[in-house]
Amino acid sequence: MQIGYPLGPASLTAALKAKGIEVKIFDTVFYRFEGELDINDRRAEMLHSVRPVDYSSVGIHDKLTGPMDDLTKLVKDFDPDLIGLTAIESVFARGLELVKCAKKAKNVPAVAGGVFATLAPDIVINEPAIDMVCIGEGEDVICEVAGAMASGRDYTGIKGLWAKKGKEVVKNGMMPLKGLDEVPEPDFSAFDPLLIYRPMQGKLFRTVPVELSRGCPFMCTYCAEPALNGLYRKNGEKGYFRKKSIPKVLGELERTIKEYNPEFFYFATETFLAMTDAEFEAFVEGYRRIKLPFWIQTRVETITRKRIEKLKEVGLYWLTIGIEHGNEEYRKKYLKRHTKNSDVARVIKILDDAGMGASLNNIIGFPFETKELIRDTIDLNHELFSLNNRLRFNVSLFTPFRGCELYDLCVSNGMMEPVPYITHHNISDGSLVRSDFITAEELDGLFRTFNLYVYLPDSYNSRIREAEKFTEKGNGEFNALNAEVEKYLK
Ligand code: B12
């Protein structure tokens, strides 16, 4: 139920269709695989960071048919010449099962792409079911592969591709990057039309994602972006981070309105406000005529009173900001984030003055993190809630994805077994990092009570401490306190 149109495959679809190549998409969002949780349900029930929504109100129901049977049927009916897989690390294992299933129905070459394949191509190409790996941006790569296959040419020398040739793996250099204005506009027509609905603060909106930029200029150590920048720099580019021009974005929004009749825009851009004042003014002035509410995520450093007021005026509905850690020193040393807590507080007050809420993202369970350091994150968020009670708080357990700097730190310090790929769900199944500073149970206790500490007044603290424990009494307190939270939410 990570509902919403994904931009990667939509962009590949557009590029392929422009070359006259037919595309079908098989997407797993509406299947409920055995034992699987809907993380949005969990976030709503336990973390109060999202509001529950009634998907059936727009006709969305879990699919009752089996995904493997449906995929087999699709492959048999469509009769493809090439199979593509897009999967981030935590769903790669599932993606692989789907590729195997598709190849059983029709044995044609399979190419994997996406951020995990890009940052761990050696692992992905090692899988017998995968014949090629696309490293980096895929629009030109997949078109060249499909074109070569259609005319019976060898495709193993195409840039941006690692490809099996007999027992060898041919490793080609990267495909040169295009400016974002040159990349085809995404095509969502091959997806289930119900995927357009995305929950936002308890409502379902017909939402279309829009790219304003690709990548991110910042260096956070828990994120894949610095590695993507580094990879492209090694190949002679300035980096992966590029912006679309504002007139191009505005034109795309207008065409999207005509084609998909959206009620909401979702800027799938890491740091929306990483823009100059001139770009900002051009965006705001142009967006006035768009008149649809929108969501952004951005960093504290990029927010000013003037920018928030103007964005609100033209339709900013909600925004997400990464806080990630409450201790300035830790945040700077281990996460490479140099924000001051006083600046975070100032920005939260600006939002309050503008009558705006926001979701604040936090991570706990980082390497070398002690209980006291986690308390600092809780305390900062609690203080921010006292400044603006429209805020909502997300907390995730740190997951060392391949490619991020903290993954290397964890492995080199013996804090985790270097598994080929992570298969767990990073917000709910317990930490993968072994720690000398906090037990797994203590971390889980802080994870489940994080938002109780944040939302409830200090007078509840001794009861919340009890709720950290997974005992009968602790569980009882947890349930009782969880029911109290609603009273304090605006
Ligand atoms: C927008 C976004 C989201 C959105 C939408 C996700 C979606 N399904 O579309 C939301 C908020 C839902 C989301 C959720 C999550 N996300 Co997210 N997200 C992003 C973000 C910021 C941009 C992705 C995007 O749209 N890029 C634009 C498109 C055009 O690029 P692309 O997807 O990379 O695709 C291009 C190439 O990779 C390649 N390609 C991709 N697939 C394929 C396939 C083939 C066959 C070929 C040839 C090429 C190819 O070609 C494409 C076009 O050039 C990225 C950061 C990033 N740089 O990737 C994180 C990122 C992908 N997310 C990440 C994570 C961890 C998550 C969550 C697990 C977070 C959570 N706690 O729940 C969930 C999981 C959701 C899921 N199962 O998909 C991580 C993944 C880490 C990893 N190493 O695998 C990233 C990299 C951020 C990070 N922290 O490093 N995310």
Side-chain angles (χ1 to χ4, degrees), residues 23 38 81 91 175 241 251-252 269 309 312-313 323 331 349 366 392-393 410 433 452-453 472:
V23 181
D38 178 343
D81 299 306
V91 291
M175 182 69 85
F241 176 62
E252 197 174 315
T269 279
E309 282 167 0
K312 191 176 180 211
E313 211 179 286
I323 303 298
R331 199 163 61 213
K349 196 78 192 70
F366 281 119
R392 294 295 176 269
F393 302 84
C410 288
V433 180
L452 298 181
Y453 282 116
E472 206 174 310

Side-chain angles (χ1 to χ4, degrees), residues 172-192:
N172 300 294
M174 308 282 289
M175 182 69 85
L177 278 181
K178 276 190 168 136
L180 275 196
D181 283 7
E182 273 69 66
V183 172
E185 291 177 14
D187 181 333
F188 305 109
S189 62
F191 289 95
D192 182 332

Side-chain angles (χ1 to χ4, degrees), residues 73-135:
K73 186 171 178 324
L74 178 83
V75 173
K76 293 210 165 187
D77 290 348
F78 183 56
D79 197 22
D81 299 306
L82 175 64
I83 292 162
L85 166 69
T86 182
I88 60 167
E89 180 168 352
S90 53
V91 291
F92 180 73
R94 168 165 303 162
L96 208 50
E97 291 311 309
L98 293 164
V99 171
K100 287 181 198 157
C101 165
K103 287 182 88 161
K104 215 160 120 197
K106 189 176 181 212
N107 195 11
V108 291
V111 52
V115 72
F116 173 59
T118 296
L119 297 178
D122 44 339
I123 292 171
V124 175
I125 200 72
N126 219 6
E127 292 295 340
I130 302 294
D131 304 284
M132 291 166 256
V133 177
C134 169
I135 299 172

Side-chain angles (χ1 to χ4, degrees), residues 2-9 11-12 39 43 83-91 111-116 118-119 134 136-139 141-142 198 211 214-215 222-225 228 240 266 268-270 295 297 396 401-402 425-427:
Q2 274 283 7
I3 197 170
Y5 288 141
L7 279 161
S11 197
L12 300 175
I39 62 166
R43 281 184 169 143
I83 292 162
L85 166 69
T86 182
I88 60 167
E89 180 168 352
S90 53
V91 291
V111 52
V115 72
F116 173 59
T118 296
L119 297 178
C134 169
E137 239 161 60
E139 289 87 352
V141 180
I142 202 158
R198 223 184 126 73
E211 277 187 295
R214 240 177 228 188
Y222 48 84
C223 181
E225 300 290 356
L228 293 175
Y240 178 65
Y266 170 100
T269 279
E270 302 274 31
W295 172 90
Q297 60 182 350
S396 297
F401 288 118
R402 251 166 216 278
H425 228 249
N426 79 344
I427 69 149

Side-chain angles (χ1 to χ4, degrees), residues 303-363:
I303 295 177
T304 62
R305 185 176 295 277
K306 223 159 99 195
R307 283 185 166 193
I308 285 298
E309 282 167 0
K310 287 199 169 172
L311 287 176
K312 191 176 180 211
E313 211 179 286
V314 298
L316 176 63
Y317 184 88
W318 195 255
L319 73 162
T320 298
I321 303 173
I323 303 298
E324 319 302 4
H325 207 283
N327 182 289
E328 272 177 18
E329 228 171 284
Y330 184 94
R331 199 163 61 213
K332 193 164 156 187
K333 179 168 175 198
Y334 286 105
L335 310 185
K336 294 199 178 154
R337 292 175 66 100
H338 300 264
T339 329
K340 293 241 170 315
N341 284 353
S342 53
D343 285 330
V344 178
R346 186 177 47 78
V347 158
I348 295 308
K349 196 78 192 70
I350 289 176
L351 293 176
D352 191 55
D353 292 344
M356 289 276 328
S359 296
L360 303 189
N361 285 345
N362 295 280
I363 305 176

Side-chain angles (χ1 to χ4, degrees), residues 8 13 80 104 143 150 162 174 198 216 254 269 299-300 325 327 344 412 450 486:
T13 304
K104 215 160 120 197
C143 286
W162 281 20
M174 308 282 289
R198 223 184 126 73
C216 178
E254 278 170 346
T269 279
R299 282 177 63 119
V300 160
H325 207 283
N327 182 289
V344 178
S412 61
F450 187 98
E486 214 45 48

